[in-house]
Each structure stands twice: as C-alpha cells, then as structure tokens.
Amino acid sequence: MRCFTVLGPSQIGKTTLVERLGSLGGEPKKSVSPYGLGITEFEFGGESWCALDVPGNNESFVHAQHALLASDACVLCVSPVVDEAVLAAPYLRVIEASGTPCILFINRMDEPRGRLRDVVAALQDYCSRPLILRQIPIRDGDKIIGSCDLISERAWRYREGQPSSLFEIPESAVEREHEARAELLEHLSEFDDWLLEELIEDREPASDAIYAISTRVLSENRVIPVLLGSASHSNGIMRLMKALRHEAPRVEALRQRLATAAGADAASLAAVSFHAHFRQSIGKTVLGRALQNGVKQGATLGGAGLGSLQDPASGRAIASGVTEAGQIFAAVKSDHLPVPAVLTANAPLAPPEWTTPPTPMLERILVPASERDETKLSETLAKLAEADRGLKVMQEEGTGAQLVCAQGPVHLRELSRTLSEVFHVEVSERPPSPIYRETISKSSEVHYRHRKQTGGAGQFADVKLSVHPNGRGEGFSFAETVKGGAVPRNFIPAVEAGAREAMDKGPLGFKVIDVGVLLTDGQHHSVDSSEYAFRTAGKMGVRQALSQAAAVLMQPIFRVEIHLPSIYSGNLVPIVASLKGQVLGFDRDEAAKGWDIFRALIPGAALDELARSLRSATQGIGYFSKSFDHFEELYGKEAQAIVSAHGTHQNGQ
C-alpha cells in the first residue's frame, strides 16, 4: 500500500480533493477519527492507496506533523489567492523539516483570483526548495478552460463531470507555454548534468527523460512541483494522481528516511505509529503503518505483543491478521505503543524532533462536576496526554487542581467532548489562578516572646529579629548574631524553620520572596524552651515584622519567544505595548524561511490575552513559548485590585 497525506489551511477543499482522488478507482473506503483525521483507502493503477486527510485548523497542526511521519509523500493544497499564501507557511515549514516529498496543488483555479506566477512567488517566500510549475492554466478571457503540461506539451480542456479532453494549445497560450517550459527545464538542469548539457547545446530533450529527472528530484526532495486544478469540478485530479503514482517514492524510501533520522538500522524498523484515539468500550486505538512484512496480531512490536489489528477505514479485522509493507493498521489493546514513534520489535524509538508540536498557549483548570470524579479525571487526562502530544497536563500551584495546556479553544472543546462521551466525566473550566508574590520595601525589627503555660512543662521562647529586603532573585536568607548563648545553638535552626514558614503567606496574602531574616538576640528557659517553641516564635515574630515592613506586590514576568511569519512581525510591537510588556527584539528564524522569532517580556497575567491577540494578528499561525524570567513590583490601583481579588480577602485574612 502507498500512502500520502493531504494537508493545508482550512476551507481550501482538502476533503473534496481526497474524495475525488479516491473515486478515481471506484468506491473508496473511508473513516474519520474523533480528532478529525480522515483515512481513505482506494485502488488506482492496480495498486492500493491510502490518503490521510488532516484537519486544516491550526490547533490540529500536530496531527499533520504525525501524519507526515507515516507518509511516502504529501499533497499541499493551497489557495489561488496571493494574500492567502501565508496560510500555507506552517505546512511548508514542517514539510521541509520532515524531508517528505511534496507536490503542491493549487486548488479552486476555476475562480479567477490573479496570476498563477504571483501565487507561486508568494509561496516561495516560505520555502527554501524551488517551487517548479509543471502546468500552466489556459484561459478564455477571465475563465480558465484547461491546462497545459509543460513536460509533454499537451493541453487538456476541462469538461464538467467528465475526463478532460486533449486539444490544441491555443495560439494565445503558446508563448507563455514556451516561457514556462524553459523555466522548468532550467530549474531541473540544476540537478542533472545531462539535461544541462542538452540545454547548452540547444537540443530538445525527450519528454520521457524529463519525466525521469522530475521523478528523481522529487524523490530526492530537491524541488516541489506545482500542479493546478479544481477538486470540486474534478479538474486536474487525474494529472495529480498520475504524478503521485509515477513520481512519489514508496515505503522503502520512508523506512530509510526514518532510519536515518533515528540513527537506526533500516532493517530493524518494523512500523511507525502516527495517531491514537479513545473509543467507548474499546479503549485506546493506535494507528500505525507497517514498514515491512510480518506485522501481525500477537507479534512483538515496541517491546510487547500486539493486540488485534483492524483496517482503520472499514473497522474490520485485517484478513489473516498480517499486514504487508506499507499497509495502514489500527491496533486495539496495544496501549504500550507510544504515539508517535518509530517501532522496532523490541522497543519504540523516539520520533524526530520536527514532530514536536507547537507550544500549547491556552491554560485552563478543569473542574469535575462530581467530587467522585477527581481521581478519574486525573487518570483520564494522563491517558489523553499520552495519545495527544499537543496537550500538556499538570497541577496548579497551590491548589493541586488539574491544569491543562491546550492548543486553543477548539482543542479544549474536543478534550471536554472526549471526557464526556468516552469517559463519562463531565467538567467545567476556569482560568488558572494568577501567580503573584510579595516582598518588603524596608527593614523592620521586632521583639517577640512566645509563652504558653498549660500545666506541667510550658512553652517559652524569646527572639529579637530583623527583616530586610534582599536583592531581586536572591530569595530567602537567614543569619544570626546571637552572643552569650542567649538562644542556644541547638534552637537556632528551629527559629530559621519558623521564619521560612512565615514566608508562605505575607500580609498581602501571597508567598514572600527576596527577604532576609537576622536573629540578633533572645532568651530561653532551661525547662520550658523547646524547638517547637522557638519555631513558633520565629514564625510569629517574622510575620509581625513583615506587616511593619511595607509589603509590595510582585507580578511574574515571562520571557516569550513568538514564532511567526515575517510579514506579521510589525503587528506585534503595539500588541506587546498594550499588554504592558517590553520588546526585546526579533531575528530571522534560521530554521524556517520567511519566519521570525520575536522576543519580549510579558506580565504573566497578560499571557492569555497575548494568545488571543496573536491568533487574531497572524490568522492563527503564530505561536509562542514562555519561560519565567523574574518578578517585578506592581503598584497602584491595579495592585490593590489584585490583592482584593486574590490576596488577603481570598485567603480569609
């Protein structure tokens, strides 16, 4: 079986394209996973094919990455509108990083939107491999009536609902065809000395030789050929499918590509897992592709025995339970298989780095409708995070509540639906509690005596303490200058422990940072003094000193790295300014043509708004990663509002 992925932005006609390709060989078999990954199996040219149709919304981008891991080639479906070329930028980026041979298909060419060469030029801004036109449109006025193949130099007239018919190249298109063909041959000659010599000698190379060169440079990932058509009218579909059949490499090339990336012996690679989902009463289903013959039920794969194998398109058990090289399978009761992974018989190998999904930008707390579901929710989220690398699960600081990091609101809704429909756990969501700290702005001294008599031995501890601000980032410090044994040496660690406890909540209601405590003097009782008494004295004394030391609210500041196409970089300056952030600058992303890495410092409370603004400003393409940088003082009405909402009032003080 041969396999290719169809990917591209939303609303560009990918699903229609797959339907038309699948219907070329009769009635296809198809299914859609709960995450929207379409699987279509069909026959064409005497061979079995599988097309993976990836959702086009940017929050599902991780599924596109994983599908490429199992694909011999891919078809990038794009718009004929020049201004929409940037929407293909994330896909061109991952296609290049993965090394997957690609054919670019410009869809909806029946809708006149501008010149084809302008569309290709706009797309080239985001691709380091040359985009080479293999066809040109033939127009009658503003209407496109057919296309001309630049290698065979044959023209085909589109016919609604019927195969295209061969016709003479119109006189008006001859000059453009010669010009485009010359550009095609010039590009191909960069990768073939024989063709270069033919062109230098002004000899016309044979079409068969040009097709052979085109096939080789595609399999070697040197170029991206560009075809055109209209899937909704079945225009250009047969030409695209023939290009895949004759020019796309087979599963042996995929196995070698994965072995090179994993640093493993190609002969040891048995399969690759690329998708997983959960079904009610069935559990985890892992989709994989066999890289060699012999993957069967009960066989050892990834270090353990495989469960039952099914055809993912029909849901039926695979005949004889054996898969052939290249075949797509669904493994049930094979929870040991990670996704995605390159699989040998004995162990799974880590997937290539390019499969790492964009950093999740939406953080929410999930609250189960029933307290009885709290443990079940924690276990279920852990399972879902294993199957969905775009999802991160952790616990909220302070409360221990379930904190999920999703790709966006659509991704979060899918998660809630899966929890409800598959695992019967109903949840509501809320934003996580902001992380604030407090410190002091001046020194303070206190004399605190702890004395308690309850019958028998009592409690006595007397301490003189001084608190002072430390430098930013220095944290808590403790020192003592006690003389004459006023506080016995064995009780001083207890004072320090009490002082540390006092840092857990300051007068504003938040954890205290960057404060130094100095024990200067004290008294003890030979009978009533104890470690507990001095720890209590240290804690209460420091609390009293903190309340006199002019507490200051501290907000977290994060360093963010925003990845986005260069044309949007200028939009970020006013966004960062509106969020009270600081622009640090930006650089070209050396790993992706046409992309920038924009750096800034952003208050933690503004990260949610940054995610929304970034999606709006970049049409959903841009994403950011964050790392904590430092805490910064916050004053005025904003600080008062935060203390009122999250500080002493919330904490019951």
Side-chain angles (χ1 to χ4, degrees):
M1 176 179 283
R2 304 178 68 180
C3 178
F4 62 93
T5 293
V6 178
L7 69 173
S10 293
Q11 308 300 318
I12 197 57
K14 298 186 305 299
T15 301
T16 302
L17 177 61
V18 172
E19 290 174 352
R20 295 294 188 269
L21 292 172
S23 63
L24 290 175
E27 191 66 29
K29 297 182 296 182
K30 57 184 180 180
S31 67
V32 180
S33 86
Y35 292 115
L37 176 70
I39 302 170
T40 302
E41 296 180 359
F42 60 99
E43 299 290 325
F44 181 81
E47 295 179 295
S48 297
W49 291 81
C50 179
L52 303 177
D53 178 15
V54 179
N57 70 78
N58 290 289
E59 296 176 29
S60 299
F61 189 71
V62 62
H63 300 306
Q65 294 173 293
H66 295 174
L68 289 177
L69 193 64
S71 299
D72 302 323
C74 66
V75 176
L76 176 58
C77 188
V78 300
S79 166
V81 181
V82 173
D83 292 342
E84 295 180 8
V86 67
L87 299 178
Y91 300 99
L92 286 167
R93 177 176 184 162
V94 72
I95 288 168
E96 288 203 56
S98 69
T100 307
C102 174
I103 296 176
L104 193 145
F105 185 76
I106 302 179
N107 196 21
R108 302 205 311 249
M109 285 298 293
D110 56 311
E111 307 171 13
R113 303 288 189 91
R115 298 193 310 170
L116 180 62
R117 65 176 67 187
D118 294 336
V119 176
V120 174
L123 291 165
Q124 188 70 73
D125 289 341
Y126 305 102
C127 185
S128 60
R129 279 183 278 169
L131 302 175
I132 301 180
L133 272 176
R134 289 279 298 273
Q135 295 174 298
I136 61 168
I138 295 179
R139 304 174 185 269
D140 183 4
D142 289 336
K143 184 179 180 182
I144 294 176
I145 61 171
S147 65
C148 177
D149 186 280
L150 296 178
I151 295 181
S152 66
E153 294 192 281
R154 293 191 295 179
W156 300 89
R157 183 188 296 274
Y158 297 145
R159 297 191 298 173
E160 187 69 33
Q162 302 179 53
S164 301
S165 61
L166 192 65
F167 77 120
E168 191 75 22
I169 300 177
E171 189 66 30
S172 59
V174 170
E175 183 178 350
R176 170 64 182 131
E177 188 275 332
H178 288 336
E179 178 185 341
R181 177 179 165 84
E183 291 178 2
L184 167 67
L185 297 180
E186 183 179 344
H187 278 299
L188 293 178
S189 68
E190 296 177 9
F191 310 105
D192 190 273
D193 292 339
W194 173 83
L195 180 57
L196 178 61
E197 185 176 337
E198 292 293 290
L199 296 181
I200 292 174
E201 296 295 332
D202 203 20
R203 291 192 293 263
E204 185 66 26
S207 294
D208 289 346
I210 301 174
Y211 276 122
I213 295 170
S214 182
T215 299
R216 176 174 59 80
V217 296
L218 175 61
S219 64
E220 293 175 354
N221 227 3
R222 303 285 193 90
V223 303
I224 296 181
V226 180
L227 303 178
L228 56 94
S230 174
S232 60
H233 297 284
S234 296
N235 297 336
I237 301 302
M238 180 63 75
R239 181 69 194 90
L240 173 61
M241 196 63 223
K242 285 184 175 180
L244 286 167
R245 180 192 177 198
H246 293 298
E247 300 178 30
R250 299 174 182 269
V251 69
E252 294 79 15
L254 172 64
R255 185 169 66 240
Q256 186 58 56
R257 189 165 74 241
L258 294 176
T260 301
D265 180 10
S268 69
L269 304 189
V272 56
S273 60
F274 65 92
H275 192 72
H277 58 268
F278 288 86
R279 292 183 289 175
Q280 188 174 346
S281 304
I282 295 177
K284 183 180 178 181
T285 298
V286 176
L287 300 186
R289 188 179 184 208
L291 298 177
Q292 55 180 273
N293 297 337
V295 177
K296 57 183 179 181
Q297 181 176 339
T300 302
L301 184 65
L306 270 177
S308 60
L309 301 184
Q310 300 175 349
D311 183 332
S314 65
R316 298 177 181 175
I318 296 177
S320 75
V322 180
T323 61
E324 300 178 351
Q327 188 169 356
I328 301 289
F329 62 85
V332 182
K333 296 182 179 179
S334 302
D335 292 4
H336 68 285
L337 295 179
V339 177
V342 180
L343 304 170
T344 67
N346 298 323
L349 305 179
E353 186 177 349
W354 58 262
T355 62
T356 303
T359 306
M361 297 191 298
L362 180 64
E363 297 185 353
R364 288 293 183 270
I365 300 296
L366 295 187
V367 182
S370 169
E371 291 185 3
R372 295 174 298 177
D373 287 336
E374 285 187 3
T375 301
K376 185 177 181 181
L377 175 61
S378 176
E379 295 172 350
T380 302
L381 287 174
K383 290 181 181 179
L384 292 173
E386 289 180 4
D388 182 359
R389 292 176 79 207
L391 175 70
K392 302 297 180 186
V393 178
M394 58 192 73
Q395 290 185 320
E396 184 183 32
E397 179 182 319
T399 67
Q402 293 297 318
L403 173 63
V404 298
C405 306
Q407 296 290 321
V410 174
H411 189 201
L412 188 63
R413 284 197 296 271
E414 289 178 350
L415 174 63
S416 298
R417 178 180 54 79
T418 300
L419 287 171
S420 174
E421 297 179 1
V422 179
F423 297 97
H424 307 294
V425 177
E426 301 294 335
V427 296
S428 58
E429 63 174 84
R430 65 169 176 83
S433 301
I435 300 174
Y436 292 103
R437 298 287 186 264
E438 61 179 278
T439 190
I440 57 177
S441 58
K442 67 178 184 179
S443 299
S444 174
E445 296 183 357
V446 67
H447 180 190
Y448 188 87
R449 174 171 291 181
H450 173 69
R451 181 164 50 190
K452 190 173 183 182
Q453 190 70 40
T454 57
Q459 298 176 26
F460 179 85
D462 185 288
V463 292
K464 289 185 178 181
L465 299 164
S466 172
V467 299
H468 59 270
N470 278 344
R472 290 291 163 261
E474 291 183 6
F476 172 83
S477 64
F478 180 85
E480 54 87 16
T481 58
V482 177
K483 296 179 181 179
V487 177
R489 308 302 298 178
N490 58 310
F491 291 151
I492 290 177
V495 178
E496 179 180 355
R500 288 185 181 274
E501 287 182 28
M503 298 295 125
D504 290 341
K505 184 188 292 186
L508 300 182
F510 302 99
K511 187 173 181 178
V512 183
I513 60 172
D514 298 338
V515 168
V517 176
L518 178 65
L519 173 63
T520 59
D521 201 357
Q523 297 181 46
H524 72 285
H525 189 276
S526 59
V527 176
D528 293 344
S529 291
S530 64
E531 288 189 2
Y532 176 79
F534 272 98
R535 187 170 71 248
T536 301
K539 178 179 178 180
M540 303 308 294
V542 169
R543 279 190 173 179
Q544 182 177 325
L546 291 175
S547 66
Q548 302 168 4
V552 177
L553 183 66
M554 305 285 284
Q555 66 171 339
I557 303 296
F558 287 83
R559 181 180 293 267
V560 297
E561 283 196 352
I562 304 171
H563 298 256
L564 75 170
S566 302
I567 62 171
Y568 295 129
S569 293
N571 297 348
L572 289 190
V573 175
I575 290 176
V576 171
S578 69
L579 300 177
K580 300 182 179 179
Q582 177 185 350
V583 175
L584 300 179
F586 65 92
D587 301 300
R588 297 292 184 188
D589 188 343
E590 298 299 331
K593 183 181 178 183
W595 287 69
D596 284 345
I597 300 177
F598 190 101
R599 299 177 177 86
L601 295 176
I602 300 289
L607 291 175
D608 217 22
E609 182 59 35
L610 175 63
R612 285 191 290 268
S613 298
L614 185 60
R615 280 193 293 268
S616 176
T618 65
Q619 300 190 66
I621 297 173
Y623 64 95
F624 68 83
S625 59
K626 65 175 183 177
S627 60
F628 173 76
D629 193 80
H630 65 279
F631 280 100
E632 183 178 274
E633 295 92 341
L634 189 62
Y635 299 96
K637 293 182 178 179
E638 184 178 356
Q640 293 174 6
I642 291 170
V643 170
S644 176
H646 304 288
T648 54
H649 176 72
Q650 179 175 313
N651 288 283
Q653 290 192 352

